[in-house]
Amino acid sequence: PGPIHDSIKPISWILGKWVSDSGTGTYPTIEAFSYCEEIVFESCGQPTINYYARSWHTQKKHPMHFESGFLKINPGTNRAAFVVAHNFGLTSLEEGDFDESNLTLKSSNISRMEFDKEPSVTSLERHFILMKENIMKQHVSMQTSNTPITTHTSATYRRVID
Ligand code: HEM
């Protein structure tokens, strides 16, 4: 890990590589599935945390969802902004609050490429919860053009040392 800029010290509990083998995916319009995921929140000394996530099917092992982005803190406040690009052609700007064990985000902007398939995502909510030092949960809910806000993915991660 790189040096930690003062502005991200209040959320340094999220730094590291996290692995889950217990992800569950649900949505009213799809069949439930399970997934494994690796997420990385990395400091390189800038006032920004670099983020990367990749997931794969628990049984069949094929790659599933990928995300890449940046987490920024408004210095001296509990406000956070998360800019994320998703591999299927969507970008989300998610903004919210954090404390010593929670980061709660809600999309303030979602963009999609013109040939992304329907339904379109119209809102996203995400919650990271530090359960204990090296255990974290994430829940993601989404609203689409035909389904109200509903949980889509939930996973529990353990922090791993490279
Ligand atoms: C389905 C978005 C994360 C796996 C969907 C759908 C959308 C979507 C819009 C279609 C829902 C519908 O047809 O009503 C997102 C967004 C995510 C996310 C915005 C993150 C913020 C994930 C992750 C995984 C995943 C992490 C797997 C590890 C799936 C699967 C389906 C699905 C398997 C069903 C596909 C199908 O039936 O064609 N997702 N997803 N999603 N998502 Fe996600």
Side-chain angles (χ1 to χ4, degrees):
I4 299 177
H5 192 278
D6 280 348
S7 77
I8 60 174
K9 280 187 179 154
I11 201 171
S12 58
W13 56 262
I14 208 167
L15 292 173
K17 183 195 273 190
W18 301 86
V19 174
S20 174
D21 52 17
S22 66
T24 54
T26 51
Y27 209 60
T29 49
I30 66 173
E31 224 171 280
F33 61 93
S34 61
Y35 65 96
C36 299
E37 191 176 34
E38 180 183 288
I39 63 180
V40 178
F41 286 99
E42 185 182 71
S43 158
C44 64
Q46 292 185 345
T48 309
I49 295 173
N50 296 352
Y51 165 77
Y52 186 76
R54 58 178 165 177
S55 52
W56 59 95
H57 194 276
T58 307
Q59 288 86 29
K60 300 177 198 155
K61 309 289 181 204
H62 59 76
M64 294 183 78
H65 193 82
F66 292 82
E67 295 172 14
S68 176
F70 305 94
L71 177 65
K72 258 183 112 74
I73 302 304
N74 187 1
T77 74
N78 66 339
R79 295 292 293 166
F82 198 27
V83 188
V84 185
H86 302 251
N87 63 320
F88 64 99
L90 181 145
T91 60
S92 54
L93 172 59
E94 305 169 27
E95 298 182 277
D97 300 322
F98 70 94
D99 61 22
E100 63 290 333
S101 56
N102 294 275
L103 170 61
T104 306
L105 299 156
K106 194 176 187 324
S107 57
S108 55
N109 183 277
I110 293 179
S111 307
R112 62 200 300 260
M113 50 187 201
E114 63 178 21
F115 52 93
D116 187 21
K117 64 178 186 191
E118 294 293 332
S120 54
V121 180
T122 49
S123 183
L124 273 178
E125 290 179 17
R126 219 195 264 255
H127 196 175
F128 292 96
I129 313 157
L130 186 70
M131 308 302 292
K132 46 186 173 174
E133 199 188 339
N134 291 317
I135 303 288
M136 182 168 73
K137 288 189 184 207
Q138 180 184 193
H139 305 286
V140 176
S141 303
M142 69 179 174
Q143 176 185 293
T144 69
S145 42
N146 49 31
T147 307
I149 191 98
T150 310
T151 303
H152 183 36
T153 59
S154 298
T156 302
Y157 308 84
R158 60 181 197 284
R159 191 175 350 228
V160 297
I161 311 296
D162 276 324

